[in-house]
Amino acid sequence: MDLQDLRLLAPEIVFILFALILLLLDLMVKRKEVIALTGLVGVGISAYINYRLVKMGWLGGVLQDVFLFDGYSNFFKLIFYINLVLTILISLRYMKIEQTSYGEYYCLLFFATSGMMIMASAGDLIVLYLGLELMALSTYVLAGIIRRQRRSAEAAMKYFFLGAFSSAFLLYGIAIVYGLTGTTHLKGIASGLHELGLLNNPITLLGLVFFIIAFGFKIALVPFHMWAPDVYEGAPTSVTAFMSVGPKAAGFAVIGRVFFDAFAELDIQWSAILVPLAILTMATGSILALSQRNIKRMLAYSSIAHAGYAILGIITGTAEGLVSTMNYLMIYTFMNIGAFSVVILLRREDLLGEDLEDYAGLSKEHPVAAALMLIFMFSLTGIPPTAGFIAKFYVFMEAIYSGYVPLVIVAVLFSVVSAFFYLRVVMYMYMKEPGERVELSMSGGMGIALTITTIMVILLGIYPSLLLEFVRASVLG
Amino acid sequence: MVPLSWYILLSTVVFGIGVIGFIIRRNLIMIFLSIELMLNSVNISLAAFSHYLQSMTGQILVFFVITVAAAEAAIGLAIIIALYRHKPSITAEEVNLLKG
């Protein structure tokens, strides 16, 4: 092994180092703002190192390619950095309101994010499994961090049991594939399956199904979604924002990696399995969201539906399709965290601010907050000129190019259904008479986060090539 | 010598018992133990494959699985205790605040 290769691990090493620093800092400083600020500095340093490594063209694998530092993983790492920065910015005031201002919170966010980064870079199933567990174990605790709330503890428990259940399936899938090919290396699996003539073996297919079950749990594909609404509702809103984006994007990252690298020659089989799952996911997400009165629960079903749209790019099985999915995930990051930020804005000491009624007449008292929510809701629906339209447009276009026309028609129909519950929020804000007076819990960090998300949602809607060219460059080189 | 297929059969049966236990058991601790059963069934098959293929990778993964399972146990039991403080019961039916 070459020690020089280890420099490609620098972003992850710095990240874990900062997670430990935050843990120690919590013992010494009382003010949580200091911890959050140090965290932001840590993300900045790590992202800068990552940027410098890419600029110097040091791409490649570490330790016999078990850890890959390539354009694909770096794009996902960018999503994770953005996700973490925005989450830290929106949590500061919110965690105080929830009286849960612990330093461990930031430390766990860092560990979860480093797990995601390891997942995105994994070139070997063992590394993939360890990254996934690092992410999952940290997010279980994050979901239950408001100890004095019963619903938070319940969310943590449901997330933990179903998450552990799914990782057992992942392990069994790994064991099957290892038994067949004798390796856990993704490239080795691909060549092993080809050379040993295992492509039409039913056991290979069983392994593939186990992988789809395990990853399906992480990205909340129906029928493996049952944890998502409960967990998203019970967890602290900032954590919900974090885990509706991070673990989902990480799940997509490993799906792209495992299916496109290891099972590339089985693309007909996994597309055939994913098509019905995608339809079910879009249907369940869109239809069940219609009856929700709690906005966090509604956004949970919406994020299930979005996973259904994003998977269309994977189903195509082409590199261009993968590009459209990654494009979707980046845009989804901004619009989803933006929407959750507005939900947090309404949270006060004496008001939960999660019921649809709390949004009644918001435009009269707080026109700016209502306008921002309007933009995010339009974007989540997919109405131009917001970024959400571009995201859906490219995914649908790639699916049509690959011949999945009926699937796209179904997707568009459910997209229309989803307009109903997104625009209902807008209707409440603009057309209902305000109830009791609502004070917003505004803060500096929140202002920055809302500005970033709004600008990106509009900018990427008007200049889609900005992001799309970047994704193309990172995947296709 | 015991043939490989026996180990695989054992591992499959134990994994199946774990899955069934996870679905039909109502006691949180028993659900948790079912997950442990599933993880350990994977360990059996990994160790068997590793011996059969004369490759170390499987045994290395077994050690990782054992370590992660220990971490998982610590976090899982902590979460069950956190829940128990709100409602002194460990049956799954009592965990019913969030639904709809």
Side-chain angles (χ1 to χ4, degrees):
Chain A
M1 142 192 166
D2 192 356
L3 256 183
Q4 286 224 308
D5 282 353
L6 283 181
R7 65 192 168 193
L8 295 181
L9 284 165
E12 279 78 11
I13 293 173
V14 171
F15 227 78
I16 291 172
L17 210 63
F18 263 93
L20 299 173
I21 290 173
L22 293 187
L23 199 56
L24 283 177
L25 211 59
D26 185 39
L27 297 173
M28 290 179 280
V29 273
K30 278 277 165 287
R31 287 174 60 85
K32 303 301 166 203
E33 285 84 355
V34 179
I35 298 175
L37 206 66
T38 319
L40 289 177
V41 171
V43 185
I45 294 175
S46 182
Y48 179 72
I49 294 173
N50 208 330
Y51 170 77
R52 290 299 303 166
L53 286 172
V54 175
K55 272 286 157 226
M56 282 189 266
W58 284 348
L59 300 174
V62 184
L63 307 172
Q64 285 137 18
D65 283 355
V66 299
F67 185 93
L68 302 167
F69 187 85
D70 53 5
Y72 179 77
S73 63
N74 284 322
F75 180 81
F76 277 101
K77 280 177 202 171
L78 182 63
I79 293 184
F80 303 146
Y81 294 139
I82 293 171
N83 181 30
L84 180 57
V85 168
L86 292 176
T87 308
I88 291 177
L89 288 174
I90 62 175
S91 341
L92 256 175
R93 172 93 193 265
Y94 174 72
M95 290 319 264
K96 275 211 192 84
I97 292 174
E98 295 281 5
Q99 295 162 13
T100 319
S101 223
Y102 305 131
E104 302 96 295
Y105 173 75
Y106 299 100
C107 166
L108 284 166
L109 283 178
F110 262 71
F111 275 125
T113 307
S114 47
M116 295 171 203
M117 290 162 71
I118 293 167
M119 279 167 83
S121 281
D124 188 291
L125 291 174
I126 297 179
V127 179
L128 192 155
Y129 169 69
L130 289 175
L132 189 133
E133 285 295 337
L134 179 56
M135 172 192 86
L137 291 176
S138 313
T139 21
Y140 301 150
V141 183
L142 279 172
I145 200 150
I146 310 183
R147 281 183 313 223
R148 50 181 190 80
Q149 264 184 23
R150 189 175 144 209
R151 66 171 195 165
S152 183
E154 246 187 68
M157 197 217 76
K158 288 182 177 166
Y159 196 20
F160 170 76
F161 276 125
L162 288 165
F165 187 63
S166 76
S167 57
F169 274 96
L170 173 67
L171 276 174
Y172 211 85
I174 293 175
I176 288 173
V177 172
Y178 171 67
L180 286 170
T181 61
T183 175
T184 53
H185 199 278
L186 293 180
K187 290 270 186 322
I189 290 168
S191 57
L193 287 176
H194 185 81
E195 282 158 21
L196 301 170
L198 292 164
L199 288 171
N200 293 314
N201 192 323
I203 308 292
T204 315
L205 207 61
L206 185 69
L208 185 64
V209 169
F210 276 22
F211 277 113
I212 290 180
I213 293 175
F215 299 150
F217 264 105
K218 287 288 167 241
I219 63 171
L221 275 185
V222 180
F224 317 113
H225 70 292
M226 50 294 206
W227 58 272
D230 287 354
V231 174
Y232 283 20
E233 187 188 340
T237 314
S238 55
V239 175
T240 310
F242 178 77
M243 68 187 181
S244 69
V245 171
K248 198 169 278 234
F252 273 103
V254 290
I255 286 180
R257 187 77 85 183
V258 171
F259 289 1
F260 281 74
D261 275 7
F263 296 115
E265 288 185 71
L266 286 164
D267 60 338
I268 298 165
Q269 280 90 333
W270 51 255
S271 290
I273 301 172
L274 285 176
V275 167
L277 293 186
I279 294 174
L280 267 177
T281 308
M282 292 184 284
T284 313
S286 306
I287 293 169
L288 289 182
L290 295 175
S291 60
Q292 301 307 325
R293 305 292 303 171
N294 182 304
I295 195 133
K296 273 167 86 178
R297 216 174 166 80
M298 187 207 91
L299 284 171
Y301 281 110
S302 118
S303 92
I304 292 173
H306 278 284
Y309 301 124
I311 200 90
L312 292 187
I314 304 271
I315 286 174
T316 63
T318 59
E320 281 290 331
L322 191 60
V323 167
S324 69
T325 294
M326 289 158 75
N327 182 49
Y328 197 108
L329 290 171
M330 180 64 100
I331 290 172
Y332 171 79
T333 305
F334 289 115
M335 58 191 187
N336 214 41
I337 294 191
F340 275 112
S341 309
V342 180
V343 176
I344 289 179
L345 266 186
L346 263 73
R347 173 80 168 102
R348 277 180 302 146
E349 278 82 353
D350 53 344
L351 177 76
L352 217 49
E354 287 170 14
D355 197 88
L356 214 47
E357 288 296 335
D358 297 330
Y359 288 78
L362 192 68
S363 66
K364 302 223 169 47
E365 290 188 25
H366 303 287
V368 179
L372 292 180
M373 194 60 164
L374 174 89
I375 292 171
F376 296 131
M377 286 297 130
F378 273 18
S379 183
L380 284 167
T381 321
I383 297 173
T386 53
F389 167 72
I390 301 300
K392 275 190 183 151
F393 178 77
Y394 278 105
V395 171
F396 291 170
M397 204 175 69
E398 287 305 329
I400 287 177
Y401 281 155
S402 304
Y404 290 95
V405 179
L407 183 60
V408 173
I409 293 173
V410 173
V412 171
L413 285 179
F414 283 119
S415 190
V416 174
V417 174
S418 74
F420 177 80
F421 58 84
Y422 290 127
L423 298 186
R424 186 170 58 188
V425 179
V426 176
M427 192 271 284
Y428 265 85
M429 289 190 306
Y430 281 88
M431 293 169 194
K432 288 249 175 177
E433 283 307 308
E436 56 174 317
R437 213 180 136 64
V438 175
E439 287 292 329
L440 297 184
S441 58
M442 194 62 192
S443 64
M446 177 63 93
I448 300 170
L450 279 171
T451 316
I452 297 173
T453 47
T454 317
I455 288 176
M456 291 310 281
V457 163
I458 293 173
L459 188 71
L460 295 178
I462 298 170
Y463 297 107
S465 55
L466 271 178
L467 177 61
L468 208 63
E469 290 308 315
F470 176 59
V471 191
R472 276 222 180 87
S474 53
V475 175
L476 308 170
Chain B
M1 198 182 122
V2 186
L4 176 71
S5 55
W6 289 24
Y7 287 108
I8 305 307
L9 193 68
L10 172 68
S11 146
T12 315
V13 168
V14 175
F15 191 81
I17 293 172
V19 172
I20 294 167
F22 182 86
I23 293 167
I24 65 171
R25 281 288 186 163
R26 295 276 59 103
N27 184 311
L28 292 180
I29 303 289
M30 291 311 287
I31 297 176
F32 183 67
L33 285 178
S34 302
I35 293 172
E36 291 292 310
L37 215 53
M38 289 164 75
L39 292 179
N40 283 319
S41 78
V42 174
N43 284 347
I44 296 173
S45 62
L46 279 173
F49 280 134
S50 183
H51 182 73
Y52 172 75
L53 296 162
Q54 291 298 313
S55 109
M56 282 306 287
T57 319
Q59 293 183 36
I60 294 168
L61 185 49
V62 167
F63 278 105
F64 278 125
V65 174
I66 292 171
T67 322
V68 170
E72 215 164 55
I75 287 176
L77 292 175
I79 289 173
I80 293 176
I81 288 170
L83 196 64
Y84 185 80
R85 287 203 178 133
H86 290 285
K87 187 153 197 173
S89 150
I90 48 164
T91 51
E93 271 87 18
E94 306 276 345
V95 187
N96 53 11
L97 199 63
L98 301 160
K99 60 182 167 221

